[in-house]
Amino acid sequence: MSPPALSNAVSSALIQWPREPRDALGLALWDAAAIAAATGGTASGDFQCAGVEMDSRDVRPGDLFVALKGEAMDGHRFVETAFARGAAAALVERPVAGPHVLVADTTAALHALAAAARDRASAVRIAVTGSVGKTGVKEAIFAALDRASRGQAHRSVRSYNNHVGVPLSLARMPARARFGVFEMGMNHAGELAALAQQVRPQVAVVTTIAPAHIENLGSEEAIADAKAEVFGGLMPGGTAIIPADSPHCERLCAHARAAGAKIVLFGRAAHADVRLLDAIPAANGGSLVTADMGDTRLCYSVAEPGEHWIANSLAVMAAVRAAGGDLAAAGLALGEMGGLKGRGARHRITAPGGHALLIDESYNANPASMRATLHQLGQTPATRRVAVLGSMKELGDFAPRFHAQLAEPLAEARVDYAILVGEEMRALASALGKGAAGALAGGLSFAHCDNPAEAIAALAEYGLTGGDAVLVKGSNSVGLGRLVAHFAGAV
C-alpha cells in the first residue's frame, strides 16, 4: 500500500472509531466554574485543576488545595505554602492572594465537590470495608479493574477511609472514570452509614469481621452491625459481598437483605457463591487458586503469600464480577501484585552469610491479623524466625487477654526470638514468662521494649544473619515503620 493510501486508510479508521458520551467530557479534573457550581462558591477567575489535596505538604503542581478547618488546625495558614508548591487554586472561606473559590464552609464544600464528582461520572462504585484486609482488597480490585479498563479506574489512595478521606477520594474521581474503588473505615457505630451515603456504591464488600475497635463497640456482633452499615448506602439493585466463613455471616446477610441487596458469599463454605475448591503453594511464595463461581471455574495465581490472601482473592473476584469487570484481568492482577508498604511489603536485607527477609506489616494490627501474619511467618522458609510485635490499639478492656493470647500463634510459628513493643505488650511478655505459657512457647526468647528506638537496638543486638525471616507488625501509632526504615533503608 502506498503512503498516501495508507494515510487515507488510517484517517478513515479514525473517523469510524466509535465515540462515547464520556468522550465529550473535559480532560481537566475540575475547572473554576465546575467547582463554584458544585460548592455554591464564588470563583476569583478561570483556572483548571488536575488534583485535589488537603495537606499542603502533599500538594503537587496543578492541585486544588482545600483549606479545611479543624479543632486544632486551620488549613488557611498553609495556603501560601500550597501555592508555593504549585497549587493551581485554593478552596477557602476567606479571600486569598491567588486563584480561589470562596465558600462559607470548606468542609461542607469538600463534601459537595465529592457529591458532584460522584454524580457526574458513570463509574461503577465499589465500597470496601472490614476489620482486616480492606486496603489490600481495595488495591487488588483497583488493579484488576484498571487493567481491564485500560487506566480508567480510580481508587482512594493510602488509607483515606474516614470522614475526610472518603469525600477527598470521591472529589478526585475523574468524570471519565469507569470504576471507582473506595475504602471505608470506622471506629464507632454510625460512621460507615454516613460514608456509604456519600459514595452510594453499586457493590459493597465486607472482607472479614474481627475484634478491631472492640474498645468502642464492645463485641464482635456490634462490630458486624457497624460494618453492615455499608449496605444501607447501596444503590437500588446493588450487591453485598460477604464472607461465607465468618461466624457473623448470617448477621451480615440479614442487614444486606434489609437493604434490598443482592447477596454474594465468598469463601470455603459449601454455600459460598464464590467458593474455594483448591489452593496449593506457588513457586513465588504465593498460591495457585481454583475457585467455583457457580457457572464457571477459575484458576489463577495470587502473588501475595498467606491463607488470608487466598480468601481476599475470592472477595476480589466476586467484586470484579459484580462490577462488570474482566475476571481474566483480575487473575493477572492478583498474580502480579506486590506487598504494600506497611502491609506485607518484603525486603531483602544484606546480612552476614547472605540475606535476611524483612516482612513489613507495620501499618496495622488486631488479633485476627496478628494470628494470620504469624501463621504466614511460620510457613516462611527460614533458618531463624524473628517477630517484632507492636501493641494492638483500640482493644480497651480486652487488650490484656488478646495480647496474652498471642503466645500460642508465636509457638505455632516456631518463632526463635520476639521483640515486644509497647505498654500493651506487657501482657504477652508476662504470658511468655509464666510456666504454662512459657512451655507452650517452647522457651521462646524475647525482649520487651517501650518504643521503636529500643526495639531497633534489641534487633541490632540480636544480630540478623543470612536466612533469617523477620516479621514486623503492630498498630501504626506504635511507630514500627521506623524500625523497617532503619533495617531496610528508605521505604
Side-chain angles (χ1 to χ4, degrees), residues 138-149:
K138 177 257 297 182
E139 290 292 328
I141 294 172
F142 165 76
L145 296 175
D146 198 53
R147 188 182 192 116
S149 65

Side-chain angles (χ1 to χ4, degrees), residues 262-279:
K262 174 186 176 182
I263 296 173
V264 175
L265 303 180
F266 69 91
R268 297 174 179 269
H271 61 281
D273 302 291
V274 179
R275 182 166 61 93
L276 179 68
L277 296 178
D278 189 35

Side-chain angles (χ1 to χ4, degrees), residues 346-359 381-384 386 459 463-470 487-488:
R346 295 188 161 213
H347 305 279
R348 293 179 76 233
I349 302 172
T350 301
H355 291 88
L357 171 67
L358 188 149
I359 305 167
T383 54
R384 298 185 304 177
V386 179
L459 186 55
L464 296 181
T465 61
D468 287 349
V470 183
F487 287 97

Side-chain angles (χ1 to χ4, degrees), residues 341 347 349 358 360 362 456 472 479-491:
K341 179 181 178 181
H347 305 279
I349 302 172
L358 188 149
D360 178 14
S362 61
I456 290 170
V472 182
L480 290 182
R482 290 169 51 193
L483 182 143
V484 174
H486 178 87
F487 287 97
V491 293

Side-chain angles (χ1 to χ4, degrees), residues 122-187:
S122 60
V124 177
R125 299 178 298 280
I126 302 99
V128 182
T129 191
S131 302
V132 183
K134 53 185 175 288
T135 300
V137 168
K138 177 257 297 182
E139 290 292 328
I141 294 172
F142 165 76
L145 296 175
D146 198 53
R147 188 182 192 116
S149 65
R150 299 184 180 183
Q152 295 190 56
H154 170 77
R155 95 297 205 175
S156 49
V157 299
R158 303 179 188 172
S159 290
Y160 280 7
N161 60 20
N162 63 9
H163 64 288
V164 176
V166 169
L168 179 68
S169 298
L170 260 178
R172 290 171 168 175
M173 184 167 67
R176 295 182 176 222
R178 293 179 182 271
F179 302 98
V181 192
F182 301 93
E183 179 180 338
M184 296 183 186
M186 61 86 188
N187 295 316

Side-chain angles (χ1 to χ4, degrees), residues 85-342:
R85 293 183 64 87
L91 189 62
V92 292
E93 296 178 10
R94 53 180 181 265
V96 296
H100 63 273
V101 173
L102 185 64
V103 297
D105 185 320
T106 50
T107 299
L110 175 61
H111 284 256
L113 199 64
R118 178 196 66 210
D119 294 342
R120 72 179 179 178
S122 60
V124 177
R125 299 178 298 280
I126 302 99
V128 182
T129 191
S131 302
V132 183
K134 53 185 175 288
T135 300
V137 168
K138 177 257 297 182
E139 290 292 328
I141 294 172
F142 165 76
L145 296 175
D146 198 53
R147 188 182 192 116
S149 65
R150 299 184 180 183
Q152 295 190 56
H154 170 77
R155 95 297 205 175
S156 49
V157 299
R158 303 179 188 172
S159 290
Y160 280 7
N161 60 20
N162 63 9
H163 64 288
V164 176
V166 169
L168 179 68
S169 298
L170 260 178
R172 290 171 168 175
M173 184 167 67
R176 295 182 176 222
R178 293 179 182 271
F179 302 98
V181 192
F182 301 93
E183 179 180 338
M184 296 183 186
M186 61 86 188
N187 295 316
H188 298 83
E191 292 177 340
L192 269 183
L195 299 180
Q197 287 299 326
Q198 289 177 7
V199 174
R200 299 304 313 276
Q202 287 91 347
V203 181
V205 181
V206 175
T207 59
T208 190
I209 301 298
H213 313 305
I214 198 169
E215 175 183 20
N216 300 322
L217 292 159
S219 69
E220 283 197 16
E221 289 77 14
I223 293 170
D225 291 339
K227 294 296 184 184
E229 291 173 11
V230 71
F231 303 142
L234 279 167
M235 295 289 286
T239 301
I241 297 174
I242 293 170
D245 303 317
S246 171
H248 307 288
C249 177
E250 182 50 41
R251 195 179 193 95
L252 293 169
C253 287
H255 286 284
R257 284 192 290 267
K262 174 186 176 182
I263 296 173
V264 175
L265 303 180
F266 69 91
R268 297 174 179 269
H271 61 281
D273 302 291
V274 179
R275 182 166 61 93
L276 179 68
L277 296 178
D278 189 35
I280 60 175
N284 65 350
S287 303
L288 182 64
V289 176
T290 304
D292 184 355
M293 302 282 290
D295 58 348
T296 188
R297 289 187 175 186
L298 295 177
C299 186
Y300 56 90
S301 295
V302 179
E304 295 277 17
E307 290 285 327
H308 56 296
W309 260 104
I310 295 172
N312 286 349
S313 77
L314 301 175
V316 171
M317 289 299 185
V320 168
R321 170 174 260 197
D326 187 317
L327 293 176
L332 292 172
L334 285 165
E336 294 175 354
M337 279 193 70
L340 304 173
K341 179 181 178 181

